[in-house]
Amino acid sequence: MSRIRSLAFRGINVTPKTNWCFLEVSTEDGLTGLGECTLANNEPLLEAEATRLAANVAGEDARHRNRLARLIPHAQGGLVAATVVSAFEQALCDLAAQRVGQPLHLFLGGALRDPVRLYANINRGANPRSPEGFAAAARRAVEQGFGAVKLAPFDPMVWEDGFTETNRAAYAEGLARIAAVRAAVGPGIEVMVDAHWRFSPGGAAGLVRDVAEFRLFWLECPVAEANRAEIVRLRGMANDRGMRLAGAESLAGLAAYRPVIEAGCYDVLMPDAKHAGGIEEIRRIAALAQTAGVEIGPHNPTGPICHAHSVHLCAVIPNFVLLEVQFGETEAFFDMVEGESLRFAQGAAPLPQAPGLGIRLGPGPHAPWKRMDRPWLDPRLG
């Protein structure tokens, strides 16, 4: 009765800039487990990969998570395949916890903390994307009880475009946005900055020096992940100025994280339940990171299913520091699911107590996913 009856891909449009994608895995005994596989601008590939996975797992016993979640090795299908497998593993964990009548965090061995502390990613909630717009979004988050906020202030800068007037202006605007947020929230609120790999190693060194005055909690993803030696150097510079260095949000699997941990790249690793291999793989990554004194702050700026899984996961990780949540983008985050409330409580997430994940997708209607021909950070999109 625990055999897999169906695996369905659900792509849902929630804003003019955003689609969220989910997997629903149903078993013959009437249970349905949920996972999230959002990966912007890759919806057709995700759906094709989900169809391929569905054919492979039909009729399999859903209790065999360790084997089933590796039917499509991460290395063979890139980030799209890793994202679908990660969602599948999430759904299998949801099913397993439902089957024994326990909330997922208890099924994983019991919570170390309740509630789970969050930080507000204000990036998509900042409108306009001016210093004043970012400052207003940060104030809204603080008014709702968040003690930490994050912004990605440097669009449309791309270092490979060269030392252009556009890049110089974007850099200056980025610093102005950070300054405005720090001034808006005051000294008692943590501020993080996501650089989205927009810098060369030399440019990132200048960035570390320039943002030191804003007393950041962490600087995130300053350079491409392949530059491990330079990341180590930047970590030392950041630490000398009182801030952490964070990154590695799009890696898949323990093998990808091992050299990053062993090289000493980051103070905070950001594995994403949508990409890294799911719940159990992130627990393995976190355990290895713990031996090196590295904190875990999962990447989590998308939909409600990944968020719910991440809350359960963060409750059981010893070296957890903070969990990201998309703040102020759309009320669909709360309204499209049924079950226990995902509403934030003073900048934290109370642990669900219902069996499994604790939530399910509502009946809708849900708008089908839409093509996003331009990245949402394109300034022409507002």
Side-chain angles (χ1 to χ4, degrees):
M1 295 295 288
S2 57
R3 295 192 179 280
I4 295 173
R5 184 182 65 217
S6 65
L7 183 154
F9 173 84
R10 299 283 303 277
I12 299 172
N13 177 251
V14 291
T15 79
K17 303 174 182 179
T18 302
N19 297 315
W20 292 332
C21 298
F22 311 107
L23 292 187
E24 293 180 316
V25 179
S26 298
T27 54
E28 293 176 356
D29 55 1
L31 298 179
T32 297
L34 289 175
E36 182 164 343
C37 55
T38 300
L39 185 60
N41 302 320
N42 284 276
E43 291 83 6
L45 297 175
L46 292 166
E47 187 165 18
E49 192 64 30
T51 300
R52 186 161 79 98
L53 177 60
N56 286 337
V57 302
E60 293 279 358
D61 190 330
R63 295 174 298 178
H64 294 171
R65 303 194 314 279
N66 290 339
R67 176 173 59 82
L68 292 175
R70 282 155 180 77
L71 281 177
I72 303 179
H74 298 160
Q76 293 183 8
L79 190 58
V80 168
T83 300
V84 171
V85 169
S86 296
F88 180 48
E89 195 273 350
Q90 295 168 38
L92 293 178
C93 285
D94 183 12
L95 285 167
Q98 288 183 53
R99 186 160 284 110
V100 297
Q102 295 178 345
L104 184 53
H105 60 84
L106 186 58
F107 176 77
L108 296 174
L112 299 172
R113 57 191 62 83
D114 183 10
V116 170
R117 188 182 174 203
L118 309 171
Y119 70 88
N121 181 333
I122 62 172
N123 216 38
R124 296 196 182 194
N127 187 19
R129 294 183 65 76
S130 62
E132 296 75 19
F134 275 95
R139 281 193 293 268
R140 290 193 294 271
V142 171
E143 288 167 0
Q144 292 193 26
F146 284 89
V149 299
K150 185 173 82 176
L151 66 158
F154 291 107
D155 57 275
M157 179 178 169
V158 180
W159 75 267
E160 291 95 337
D161 290 346
F163 194 61
T164 63
E165 287 299 322
T166 297
N167 272 350
R168 292 173 63 188
Y171 185 67
E173 179 75 356
L175 294 178
R177 290 163 171 169
I178 300 169
V181 167
R182 171 51 79 195
V185 302
I189 301 297
E190 305 290 4
V191 175
M192 293 92 108
V193 167
D194 189 347
H196 276 158
W197 312 282
R198 293 182 178 275
F199 292 85
S200 66
L207 172 66
V208 170
R209 291 189 290 267
D210 286 344
V211 299
E213 65 176 291
F214 303 122
R215 303 178 308 282
L216 302 183
F217 188 71
W218 75 50
L219 176 64
E220 180 179 327
C221 297
V223 300
E225 228 77 63
N227 298 319
R228 289 200 288 268
E230 294 295 339
I231 293 171
V232 172
R233 182 175 70 89
L234 292 168
R235 179 186 180 186
M237 291 182 62
N239 290 173
D240 287 345
R241 291 162 176 79
M243 74 185 94
R244 295 164 169 84
L245 200 70
E249 67 188 45
S250 59
L251 301 183
L254 179 62
Y257 279 90
R258 178 182 172 184
V260 174
I261 294 168
E262 291 180 344
C265 291
Y266 294 113
D267 300 284
V268 182
L269 289 178
M270 307 182 69
D272 190 317
K274 298 186 303 296
H275 311 311
I279 304 304
E280 294 291 2
E281 191 75 347
I282 292 180
R283 295 182 76 190
R284 288 185 280 267
I285 292 163
L288 182 60
Q290 187 178 6
T291 67
V294 174
E295 296 170 305
I296 301 294
H299 185 247
N300 178 45
T302 49
I305 304 304
C306 182
H307 173 68
H309 276 289
S310 298
V311 168
H312 286 283
L313 172 66
C314 291
V316 304
I317 293 177
N319 47 332
F320 164 74
V321 56
L322 283 169
L323 174 62
E324 178 175 23
V325 69
Q326 189 65 251
F327 177 80
E329 182 182 17
T330 172
E331 283 293 298
F333 185 92
F334 307 105
D335 298 340
M336 73 187 305
V337 295
E338 297 178 336
E340 298 206 23
S341 174
L342 295 182
R343 296 282 174 182
F344 314 133
Q346 290 299 301
L351 289 183
Q353 298 301 321
L357 191 59
I359 61 170
R360 59 191 176 274
L361 287 175
H366 301 301
W369 68 269
K370 296 181 180 179
R371 285 190 54 169
M372 304 287 177
D373 292 325
R374 293 180 296 186
W376 75 270
L377 280 173
D378 188 319
R380 292 170 295 177
L381 294 179

